[in-house]
Amino acid sequence: MKTLLCIREREYGWAQEAFPAIHPLLLPLCNKPFVEFLIDFAILTGSTAIRLLCDGPLAEVERYCEDGRRWGIDLSFGSLQPDDSVPVLLGKNRRFCGDERIMVVSGFNFIRYDKRQEYARLIDGAPDGPFASCGDGGIILAGAPGTGTAAPDEAGISLIPLDSTASYYEASMETLESGAERYVLPGYGGEPGCAIGRNVVISKSVEIRKPVSIGDNVQLLGGTIIGPSAIIGSDVIIDKESSVSSSIVLDHTYLGENLEVSGRIASGNLLIEPQSGASIAMEDPHLLSGIRQDPVLAAFPRLLIHALVALLMIGLLLPPFLLLWPLLSLSGKWKPCPAEIIDGKGNGTIRLKTVSLPHHGALGTLAAALSLDRFLMLFRVLGGQLALIGSTPVSAEERGDSNATAMTAYRPGVFSYAEAEEWPGCGKSEDASIVERFHLAHSNPVTDIALFFKAYINRIQEKITA
Amino acid sequence: MIITETTQNGISVVTLNGTLDALSCPEFRANPAVGDPGQTVVLDLEKVDFIDSSGLGSIVGAARKKRQQECDLFLACMNDKVRKVFEITNAQKLFHIFDDTGAAVEFAAMQQEACK
C-alpha cells in the first residue's frame, strides 16, 4: 500500500492569511503539525511510502519531514495542478505507484481516526473507489483490494474540513479532548489529559487544569492558570497572573501579565476570535508579541553591501543627473509619476518618486541609458527600503492579486533580477517572477552586485538599441 | 550536455543528460523538437544534475512558444535537485510534471488528440 497526499493551495488559502508565519501543512493541531496526522494515518493503513503533492511551495514541509525515515517510511514530494483529477494524479505518479494499491487522500481535511483500530486490514479489503468523502476531498482507494476484511463502518473514520479558523479551533480542541488515547500526540504526561513538552519551566504557583497540551521551551510564570482546554505551543512565555482557557497559543508567542485569554487563538501579536476569524493585532509588546529572530539582523550583510554600492552609484550618477535633469525638465521630457509599491515585508507600502523618461532625442536616450530615471530610488537603498537588485516592485494596487501577494519571496529592488537575465523575453510578469524567485533563493550579496552591474549594462544596451 | 531525442506515439521525448545552464542553453534551444513550436515534447530531466535560471528560462520560453501553437512541453522524471528549483521559483505551476516518461507521453498524446 502507498499513499498520495494531495493538497491544493486554494484549500488552505485561509490558513495562510490567518497564520502567515506558519506553512498551513505545518499548522499545529494540539502541538502536532497537521501533516504529521496525515502521515500517521497513512502509516496506520499500512502504507510503506507516501508522496505529498501540492501546487504550492513545499520546501518548509520538506525541511521538517525530510525523507520520512523518522517514521520508518519513504516520504517523497511532488507537484500537481489545481484541477488534476485522481486518474491524472495516478498517471503523473505512475512510477511511485507501481503495481501497489494506492490510497489518495485529498483536501485540507483533518482525519478523525483511532490509532487502536486495524486500518491496514480494513483499507486493504475495501473496494476500489471512494472510502470517505468530505467536500471536494476525501479518501479514494485505487487498485484491486487485497485479502483483508472490508468493513468501512467499523473503521470510524470521518473527515473535518479545515476551511476556517473556526474549524481549525474545533479540530484542535477535539484532538485535545480525545487526547493520546486516540492520536499519537507529542509531550509527556503522568496522567491522561496533560501533555508537557521538553524544557518547560513551571513556577510553583502555576495552576494547570486538564486537559492541556504544552509544547517545548515554555515558561509559565507565577500565578498563571493554564486550562481547562488550553493548547500552549513551543517557545511561549506566559507572564505572571495570566490565564489561558479554551484557547490556543501558537508557537513563538509572548503573553503579558494579568491577561485573560479565553476562547481565542493567540499567534505572535495577533489575537484571533475563532468563530468569526476577526483578529486584533496588539501594538503593546508587553501584552502580546511574537518571539522571533529579527529578520533585519539576518539580512544585515546584504543591506550593507547593497547600500555601499548604491552610494558608489549615487556618486557616479550625480554629475550627469545634475546636468541632464534640469535640461530634460525644461523640455518637458522628465515626467515625475509617483508610485506606491508593496514593501519587502508584504504588509506595508513604499511611496516612490519614479520618473517617466521617453528615450527619444540624444539627451533622453543618454539619461535613459544611464538609468537616471531610477537615480532617486538609489537613496531608498541607503535606508534599506529597497534592495539594489531584487524583485520587480509590485504596485500597491495589485495587492489583491494572488500572484503578487502569494509571493513566497519578494524583495523590491531598484533593478530586478529579470533585467539582469535575458529571460525568457515573453514579457510576462509571471515569468519574470520565476527568475526573481530563483535568485532570491540562490544569490548572496556578492552575486547580487554582479547581477546589478549586469542589469545596468543590459539596460544601457536596451535603451541605446531601442 | 547530452541531448537524446526519440519519438513515442508521435510525441518527441527529449532526454537531457548533464547540466542545463547558460553554457548549454543554446544547444538545448537548438534541438529541433524543442525549437519547433508546433511539436509537443516530453522532456526527461532524470539525468539533469544542475539547472540554473538560464536553463529554467529556456524551458519556460520553449513551453510558452509551444502553447501559442496549441502544443505543449511536459516534464518527466525530475530528480530532487531539479524539482526543488522548480518549486522555489514556482515554475512548477506552469507545467504538468510526471514521474514516468511513458505516462507523460500517454498524457501528451491524449492532450494532442483533444486539441485536434
Side-chain angles (χ1 to χ4, degrees):
Chain A
M1 166 78 99
K2 288 181 177 177
T3 299
L4 287 176
L5 301 174
C6 313
I7 300 166
R8 291 159 176 91
E9 267 189 318
R10 64 167 184 254
E11 294 159 348
Y12 62 60
W14 68 269
Q16 276 179 316
E17 282 176 23
F19 312 108
I22 311 166
H23 190 291
L25 299 188
L26 298 178
L27 192 62
L29 280 107
C30 208
N31 285 328
K32 177 166 169 149
F34 167 73
V35 71
E36 274 201 63
F37 284 94
L38 296 180
I39 292 170
D40 283 352
F41 177 69
I43 291 169
L44 285 171
T45 60
S47 292
T48 53
I50 299 170
R51 178 165 286 179
L52 181 54
L53 304 171
C54 186
D55 52 350
L58 280 175
E60 217 177 310
V61 183
E62 202 170 337
R63 264 196 304 276
Y64 177 80
C65 297
E66 296 173 334
D67 58 1
R69 215 174 295 168
R70 168 170 14 151
W71 295 279
I73 45 129
D74 178 21
L75 182 63
S76 58
F77 300 84
S79 66
L80 52 74
Q81 293 292 321
D83 301 322
D84 281 348
S85 61
V86 171
V88 169
L89 288 172
L90 293 173
K92 284 187 172 180
N93 297 281
R94 186 183 288 178
R95 194 185 283 186
F96 168 80
C97 296
D99 298 328
E100 297 214 30
R101 187 140 216 243
I102 303 295
M103 178 171 72
V104 181
V105 180
S106 65
F108 194 53
N109 301 317
F110 177 71
I111 304 173
R112 280 196 192 102
Y113 62 84
D114 188 337
K115 66 182 182 188
R116 295 163 294 192
Q117 292 273 2
E118 282 188 52
Y119 290 116
R121 181 178 56 83
L122 292 168
I123 299 270
D124 187 49
D128 199 2
F131 185 78
S133 62
C134 174
D136 290 340
I139 302 171
I140 295 162
L141 299 171
T147 50
T149 329
D153 293 342
E154 70 179 83
I157 294 171
S158 59
L159 306 173
I160 310 174
L162 296 178
D163 53 9
S164 61
T165 46
S167 57
Y168 165 66
Y169 176 81
E170 279 156 25
S172 298
M173 287 299 155
E174 191 186 300
T175 312
L176 179 67
E177 299 287 340
S178 310
E181 299 235 322
R182 198 176 169 125
Y183 303 102
V184 181
L185 292 176
Y188 301 91
E191 48 189 298
C194 182
I196 298 177
R198 287 165 295 175
N199 193 27
V200 176
V201 179
I202 303 175
S203 299
K204 277 182 184 172
S205 53
V206 171
E207 195 179 322
I208 292 181
R209 298 172 183 170
K210 293 189 294 183
V212 291
S213 172
I214 300 172
D216 299 332
N217 308 317
V218 174
Q219 285 185 50
L220 305 175
L221 301 184
T224 55
I225 302 170
I226 306 298
S229 301
I231 301 170
I232 311 292
S234 294
D235 305 312
V236 167
I237 300 171
I238 312 280
D239 216 332
K240 286 179 270 183
E241 309 293 335
S242 287
S243 72
V244 181
S245 62
S246 305
S247 296
I248 303 167
V249 179
L250 290 174
D251 298 357
H252 310 288
T253 300
Y254 165 77
L255 222 65
E257 287 180 35
N258 295 306
L259 216 62
E260 190 184 326
V261 179
S262 179
R264 296 285 184 273
I265 303 170
S267 173
N269 70 334
L270 283 180
L271 203 58
I272 303 165
E273 201 283 304
Q275 298 308 320
S276 64
S279 63
I280 305 168
M282 291 283 188
E283 295 297 334
D284 186 348
H286 297 291
L287 281 179
L288 193 71
S289 66
I291 310 169
R292 283 182 190 275
Q293 194 196 0
D294 187 357
V296 175
L297 210 63
F300 183 71
R302 184 183 52 77
L303 290 173
L304 183 70
I305 292 176
H306 280 221
L308 287 173
V309 178
L311 203 59
L312 174 76
M313 290 306 294
I314 289 169
L316 289 172
L317 294 177
L318 191 61
F321 177 79
L322 291 176
L323 193 71
L324 294 174
W325 169 60
L327 294 172
L328 289 166
S329 295
L330 286 172
S331 60
K333 287 181 184 170
W334 187 275
K335 293 173 187 160
C337 42
E340 195 172 357
I341 64 156
I342 299 173
D343 68 7
K345 291 172 191 162
N347 50 11
T349 57
I350 307 169
R351 285 178 185 278
L352 292 179
K353 286 177 185 171
T354 56
V355 174
S356 161
L357 196 60
H359 43 274
H360 49 75
L363 292 182
T365 306
L366 182 62
L370 292 173
S371 297
L372 293 184
D373 51 335
R374 299 187 188 181
F375 177 75
L376 294 175
M377 289 165 76
L378 288 170
F379 290 93
R380 297 300 184 106
V381 182
L382 303 180
Q385 289 171 302
L386 289 179
L388 193 60
I389 188 159
S391 316
T392 307
V394 176
S395 148
E397 290 161 12
E398 293 174 58
R399 189 188 286 274
D401 177 8
S402 60
N403 277 337
T405 51
M407 282 179 187
T408 47
Y410 168 70
R411 190 169 69 216
V414 178
F415 288 82
S416 75
Y417 290 118
E419 287 174 307
E421 300 256 2
E422 296 168 52
W423 210 93
C426 297
K428 290 180 189 257
S429 60
E430 192 183 349
D431 291 351
S433 67
I434 291 174
V435 72
E436 286 165 4
R437 286 194 196 101
F438 179 91
H439 284 297
L440 285 169
H442 294 96
S443 71
N444 57 49
V446 179
T447 55
D448 270 0
I449 301 313
L451 286 165
F452 159 72
F453 283 112
K454 202 175 164 198
Y456 193 80
I457 291 164
N458 282 354
R459 205 148 185 263
I460 293 175
Q461 283 177 332
E462 183 199 327
K463 298 294 175 189
I464 288 173
T465 53
Chain B
M1 162 72 68
I2 301 165
I3 303 176
T4 323
E5 190 185 331
T6 55
T7 305
Q8 293 175 32
N9 282 356
I11 304 291
S12 293
V13 179
V14 176
T15 307
L16 307 183
N17 188 342
T19 301
L20 187 58
D21 57 9
L23 280 177
S24 54
C25 274
E27 191 186 345
F28 170 71
R29 282 194 290 257
N31 178 274
V34 174
D36 179 3
Q39 173 75 58
T40 293
V41 166
V42 169
L43 204 57
D44 185 335
L45 299 167
E46 188 162 25
K47 289 174 183 162
V48 173
D49 48 33
F50 175 77
I51 183 166
D52 74 355
S53 59
S54 308
L56 202 57
S58 300
I59 295 175
V60 173
R64 290 277 186 216
K65 282 176 191 159
K66 287 178 188 296
R67 283 171 197 172
Q68 283 169 4
Q69 302 283 321
E70 296 200 337
C71 289
D72 210 340
L73 188 142
F74 299 93
L75 305 179
C77 308
M78 270 187 188
N79 57 48
D80 269 358
K81 281 181 195 168
V82 176
R83 182 181 59 77
K84 280 179 185 168
V85 170
F86 273 77
E87 195 201 294
I88 286 168
T89 57
N90 243 359
Q92 57 173 2
K93 289 190 172 178
L94 300 178
F95 297 96
H96 285 284
I97 301 169
F98 296 77
D99 72 351
D100 179 75
T101 313
V105 168
E106 276 175 33
F107 187 82
M110 246 166 52
Q111 294 278 92
Q112 206 173 42
E113 199 63 37
C115 282
K116 279 179 184 172

